[in-house]
Structures are given as C-alpha cells and as structure tokens.
Amino acid sequence: MSKYVIAIDGSVNALRAVDHVIKLVAVDGQNGSLELHLVNVQPPFRRAVSTHISADQIKQYHQEEGMKELEEARKRLDRAGVKYDYHLFVGDPAEVLTRYAKDNGCHQIVMGTRGMGSVSNMLMGSVATKVIHLTDVPVLLVK
Amino acid sequence: MDFSSPQFWIALLQIVAIDIVLGGDNAVVIGLACRRLPDRQRRLGILYGMMGAIGLRVILIFFAVSLLAVPYLKLIGAALLIWIGIKLLLPEHDDGGHEIDGGTTLMSAIKTIIVADAVMSLDNVIAIAGAAGDSKFLVVFGLLLSIPIIMLGSQLVIKLMDRFPVVIVLGGALLGWIAGGMFVSDVAYHDQIEMAVPYAKWICPIVGALLVVTVGKWLAARATAKRAVLVDLAKADSENTPSH
C-alpha cells in the first residue's frame, strides 16, 4: 500500500496534480493499493488580527476557506470513483506538507506547480521549491 | 522638508509602506468581526467600523504630533514603535485567537471593532507621525492614504503579504528604523547624542531595524516550534463537539 499526499491550494495547478493521480489510479485498475491524502494549508492571520478576533471565529474562517479550496479536487475524485481522505491545516504550506508526510509515513508528495520562470520563482519562492528543500520523501511535480 | 529634498520622498515612501502594512490588518479585523452577521447588519458594521478606524486616526494624529514635541516623549514613541514592529512579525496565536465570545451579535461585533480600531489606529498614527517628522503635509498625506487602503485595499494587501512574506519583514524593519530615528531626535537630548555619538542619526535607525527583525523572528520561530502537533481542522468538523 502506497500513501500519497496531494497538496491542494484551490488552484488549477493543484487540480492538474489531482487529474494526474486519477490517471495513475486508472492505469492501476483499483486504488486499493494507493492511499490518497488531500492536504490543504491555510495561511495564518497575523497577531494583530488574532488579538481581536475569537479563536472560534478564526477557526471557522480557516475551515470554510479550506473546504472551499478542497471542493473541486474532491468533486473530481468522487466523480472518478477514487477513494481519498482530506485534511486541513493552518501554517506555512511547505512546512506543514513536509511534516504531514513525515508524521504519517507517506511515500510521495504530489504537487502542481505554476511552472514559472526562474526569476519569478526566485522572487516568489514557490511552495514546491521549499518542499523539495525540506522533505526526505520523493516529490512528484505536475506541470 | 520640502518637495525638492530626497528626505521628503523617502519619508513619503515610508508612509505608503506603513499604511499598507498596518491598515490592511485593521480592515481584516473589521471584516472578520462582521462576517457572521445578517447581510444588512454586516454591511452597516463594516461601514461604521471603517469610518471609526479613519475617524480615530484623524483625532489621534493631532495628539501624536503635539505629544511627540514634548521632551522625552519620543522615547516612549520609539519603544511603542519597536513593539508594533515586533508584533507585525508574529503569527496567529497558538490556539488561533483569543477566547472572549463567539461574536455573532451586532453588539459583540461593534465592541470588537471599537477596541481593534482604537489599538490599530494608535499604532498607525505613531508610525506616521514618526516618519513624517515635522512635515504637516506628510501627516495629512499619511492619513488620506490610509482611507482607501482601509476601504478597498484589504483583499489586495492580504494577497500581497501572503504571496511575498518578505513584505512583512521589510515592514517590521521599517518600523524599527523609524523608531530609531524617533529615539535620536527627541528635543531633550538630541544635541548631546549627536555630539557624543557621531553618525547617531544613522546608527540608531539601523539598530532599531535590526532589533525588530531579530527579536520578531526569534519570537515567531518560538511560536511555531511550540505548535508541536498538526491540528487537522477537517477532522474537527465531525469529531469535535462544538466548543460553545
């Protein structure tokens, strides 16, 4: 049984990664041998905001935003009849993905990338680049 | 300072940066506080919240400008600015926020907004007064600029800061820099400091910026390290009982 983490941020890039995994499962026949974990990471608010807003409200906001970003990926997997589990965290996306994969003994992290040039990549510091630096787990980038 | 001096334009840019970094969060708090209200109340809450934020800035700036001319008060202003800068670098509270109330009624939303507006306007105003120095024009400019940022800019500002986290660090460094400049320019000891320490005018801002960034980064790293376990909010949907 292989465990895959799929990073979902609500972008079309992430959906390309989902489509790719659906294809992998189709080739495989069943996804009995593949355990899929969708992981969405919400950016935390700054201290100035969380000082004034209750923990409940902030949690609820993160949940609603996260579920929105997971929605289309879940729909596609449901439609394809692929089984999966989904998770929602708050923090730095690259750090959370890396930690999740490690803590849960995952075999691969699948991510969509923007496929941008090296200059903007350097400026923006893509999540994928950071994950590759941080993790020991194989990373599959889908462009 | 006048239009022809480079200091004027540098101060102008500083004020733009301060307004963006500090005004955005104010708008976010107003939006979050009103989010659970019925539609009409929500729109009213946001409108009054923003008017309060802007009005408080106008009132506070006059106090700030005149108070900073009083001997030794720039010392306090500088200390406050250092703290505002450090605060900027800290992430969300460990447990996601404070525990006061659910905040789903109009009254609790208003209470939240008034407190937040007061605190955040004070932060913003001290920073503007520090950057503007003795220029009335820059003070007014800083005030006017904060209006569109609070009214329209929050979404944009948040996106910007999520995408480029370095903006926050630069914002913090800038606040520290202004704090240093404020510290060195207090009327009570300005001349002595300049005499005793050559280049104090430059050294103090640099020290201020470094102080904010190192302390802020250190506290932020400690806060993240404390978050030992990942909390899965998707699971909280089904497993956790509602907390109130």
Side-chain angles (χ1 to χ4, degrees):
Chain A
M1 170 85 84
S2 279
K3 263 190 189 179
Y4 282 18
V5 174
I6 313 177
I8 305 292
D9 62 357
S11 70
V12 283
N13 309 308
L15 291 176
R16 274 203 305 276
V18 170
D19 290 341
H20 178 76
V21 171
I22 290 175
K23 257 185 267 164
L24 283 183
V25 173
V27 171
D28 197 36
Q30 288 288 324
N31 77 324
S33 64
L34 206 56
E35 196 180 308
L36 301 179
H37 294 272
L38 307 186
V39 173
N40 176 266
V41 186
Q42 290 294 311
F45 287 106
R46 261 180 308 290
R47 188 61 57 95
V49 173
S50 66
T51 305
H52 298 288
I53 303 295
S54 78
D56 273 355
Q57 269 177 296
I58 286 186
K59 197 170 124 192
Q60 199 172 29
Y61 180 83
H62 287 320
Q63 268 171 354
E64 286 177 23
E65 292 300 303
M67 293 312 281
K68 253 189 259 167
E69 290 183 2
L70 283 164
E71 195 183 338
E72 179 59 26
R74 294 181 60 196
K75 258 193 213 153
R76 290 189 185 193
L77 289 163
D78 286 338
R79 226 183 291 140
V82 176
K83 272 188 266 146
Y84 62 90
D85 207 350
Y86 60 93
H87 313 274
L88 206 169
F89 303 102
V90 177
D92 177 80
E95 276 165 25
V96 171
L97 284 165
T98 305
R99 248 215 4 245
Y100 182 85
K102 190 180 168 210
D103 292 356
N104 294 281
C106 295
H107 301 99
Q108 194 168 82
I109 300 175
V110 187
M111 316 180 65
T113 63
R114 291 180 290 240
M116 281 186 323
S118 55
V119 174
S120 39
N121 213 343
M122 219 165 65
L123 280 173
M124 318 251 302
S126 82
V127 176
T129 315
K130 201 169 167 192
V131 167
I132 293 168
H133 279 295
L134 288 173
T135 193
D136 300 327
V137 175
V139 179
L140 175 61
L141 297 180
V142 181
K143 194 179 158 184
Chain B
M1 279 194 273
D2 60 51
F3 295 103
S4 62
S5 75
Q7 284 105 310
F8 174 86
W9 294 102
I10 290 170
L12 192 98
L13 284 178
Q14 289 180 342
I15 289 172
V16 172
I18 289 165
D19 276 350
I20 289 176
V21 173
L22 294 179
D25 278 342
N26 203 159
V28 174
V29 169
I30 296 170
L32 278 176
C34 297
R35 218 169 62 91
R36 308 282 301 157
L37 298 176
D39 207 38
R40 208 183 86 84
Q41 285 187 358
R42 202 194 57 210
R43 261 177 289 169
L44 275 180
I46 291 176
L47 183 68
Y48 289 142
M50 287 175 171
M51 280 164 56
I54 293 159
L56 275 167
R57 277 168 172 74
V58 174
I59 296 167
L60 288 171
I61 195 99
F62 289 106
F63 284 105
V65 169
S66 38
L67 279 176
L68 286 177
V70 176
Y72 297 110
L73 279 193
K74 279 198 177 173
L75 205 60
I76 297 170
L80 278 174
L81 267 184
I82 293 275
W83 172 233
I84 295 165
I86 291 172
K87 226 170 39 177
L88 189 67
L89 300 184
L90 300 182
E92 188 174 300
H93 282 86
D94 213 18
D95 52 359
H98 75 170
E99 296 283 356
I100 292 188
D101 54 47
T104 48
T105 66
L106 184 59
M107 272 319 287
S108 70
I110 289 173
K111 227 167 52 192
T112 302
I113 290 172
I114 289 176
V115 174
D117 276 357
V119 173
M120 294 169 121
S121 299
L122 185 66
D123 289 1
N124 201 166
V125 155
I126 295 171
I128 291 178
D134 53 2
S135 165
K136 291 251 161 33
F137 173 86
L138 283 176
V139 168
V140 175
F141 170 79
L143 268 181
L144 291 180
L145 183 69
S146 67
I147 296 173
I149 286 173
I150 290 171
M151 301 284 275
L152 321 160
S154 72
Q155 253 350 72
L156 204 77
V157 169
I158 300 314
K159 285 265 152 61
L160 178 86
M161 294 193 202
D162 282 346
R163 265 282 154 80
F164 305 96
V166 73
V167 170
I168 309 284
V169 180
L170 289 178
L174 175 60
L175 290 168
W177 176 276
I178 296 168
M182 202 186 243
F183 168 79
V184 80
S185 64
D186 191 286
V187 282
Y189 50 78
H190 171 248
D191 292 338
Q192 287 94 310
I193 269 203
E194 290 274 297
M195 207 98 84
V197 188
Y199 304 111
K201 214 174 82 181
W202 297 107
I203 293 171
C204 289
I206 291 170
V207 170
L210 289 176
L211 185 69
V212 166
V213 173
T214 42
V215 175
K217 283 263 179 190
W218 176 67
L219 287 176
R222 247 183 30 160
T224 345
K226 237 176 49 185
R227 225 176 268 184
V229 274
L230 293 174
V231 183
D232 191 341
L233 293 182
K235 291 293 166 288
D237 269 355
S238 48
E239 284 168 19
N240 288 6
T241 45
S243 48
H244 63 105

